Amino acid sequence: MKKSVLITGAARGIGRACALKFAREGYAVTVGYVRASEQAESLEREIQKMGGECLTVAADMRDRQAVHHMVQLAQAHFGTPDVLVCNAGIAQQKLFQDISEEDWEIMFSVNVGGMYRVIQEALPDMIARGSGSIVTVSSMWGQVGASCEVHYSASKAAVIGMTKALAKELGLSGIRVNCVSPGVIDTEMNAMHGAEVMRELAEETPLNRIGTAEEAADAIYLLASEQARFITGQVLGVNGGFVI
């Protein structure tokens, strides 16, 4: 049986680029998504045209039963995932004093709770097999903080803390856990900043441009692959030098 990967938040942006990257590398791909059904179906067709195998599953990362169902379907179709990419996430810009209890709870329930739920669901079979690679997706703002995005920054910092702790806990089970921390990437999520802000962010980046989803996906694949077999608990910045 070919290797398989389960990617959350895979219908768009970095997740979509990851799905295509892993498919090109011969992996069977399970695409997790929540609302972007048309994009998920389009991605499935694209992977199938490449000669790859793809399963799409709708799952709200805040819903334990939905996450359980997604993992069960992935395992039923392709076996225990060799790689789990925890990419699902949301962002929001607000002054700290305007962040509501609901804003805070939703941010953490998706960005941190979603990662907690999907790893917990996938882990027993990975441990039983004695191998696996988990790659989480944080943000450079989880490393240095972003004004007007305190709840987002805090949630992405938590992703980094979870990654490091899990790497220590799961190493003896043969499971590696690493994190990719993207900078300013050309995705729908970052489009909320507007063209002028994106230009300013590009100018602040030492490489003088914003990154692509494909560049982030390449880093995620690298950490998941055998090329990184002695790497665990690390945070790889894909930010063009914005954070050094």
Side-chain angles (χ1 to χ4, degrees), residues 96-132:
F96 180 70
Q97 60 263 36
D98 294 334
I99 296 171
S100 68
E101 290 277 349
E102 183 181 20
D103 292 333
W104 187 271
E105 289 171 5
I106 290 174
M107 185 68 69
F108 272 81
S109 187
V110 175
N111 291 1
V112 185
M115 175 175 149
Y116 150 72
R117 293 179 193 96
V118 74
I119 293 175
Q120 220 177 44
E121 290 293 335
L123 202 52
D125 284 345
M126 295 176 86
I127 290 174
R129 188 182 56 197
S131 66

Side-chain angles (χ1 to χ4, degrees), residues 146-164:
S147 174
C148 300
E149 294 186 65
V150 171
H151 51 339
Y152 176 75
S153 299
S155 72
K156 289 301 188 178
V159 168
I160 291 172
M162 286 179 66
T163 300
K164 292 175 179 287

Side-chain angles (χ1 to χ4, degrees), residues 8-13 15-16 31-45 56-60 188:
T8 65
R12 299 180 292 194
R16 182 181 188 280
V31 169
Y33 68 97
V34 62
R35 284 182 295 273
S37 58
E38 290 184 11
Q39 291 95 326
E41 291 166 6
S42 173
L43 175 59
E44 181 178 27
R45 290 192 296 271
T56 61
V57 186
D60 186 334
E188 287 183 36

Side-chain angles (χ1 to χ4, degrees), residues 106-233:
I106 290 174
M107 185 68 69
F108 272 81
S109 187
V110 175
N111 291 1
V112 185
M115 175 175 149
Y116 150 72
R117 293 179 193 96
V118 74
I119 293 175
Q120 220 177 44
E121 290 293 335
L123 202 52
D125 284 345
M126 295 176 86
I127 290 174
R129 188 182 56 197
S131 66
S133 177
I134 299 170
V135 184
T136 66
V137 180
S138 180
S139 165
M140 67 178 181
W141 304 130
Q143 297 174 283
V144 299
S147 174
C148 300
E149 294 186 65
V150 171
H151 51 339
Y152 176 75
S153 299
S155 72
K156 289 301 188 178
V159 168
I160 291 172
M162 286 179 66
T163 300
K164 292 175 179 287
L166 279 169
K168 291 181 177 180
E169 184 171 326
L170 299 178
L172 288 176
S173 297
I175 298 167
R176 298 184 300 106
V177 191
N178 290 289
C179 179
V180 165
S181 182
V184 186
I185 305 295
D186 185 14
T187 64
E188 287 183 36
M189 182 180 288
N190 278 327
M192 69 179 181
H193 296 300
E196 182 59 34
V197 171
M198 293 295 279
R199 280 194 295 271
E200 292 173 359
L201 289 168
E203 290 172 1
E204 291 181 52
T205 302
L207 290 183
N208 199 37
R209 65 176 178 87
I210 61 176
T212 68
E214 289 72 23
E215 288 166 329
D218 285 344
I220 290 167
Y221 178 79
L222 171 65
L223 288 177
S225 74
E226 282 299 302
Q227 289 179 293
R229 59 188 174 274
F230 197 56
I231 298 174
T232 196

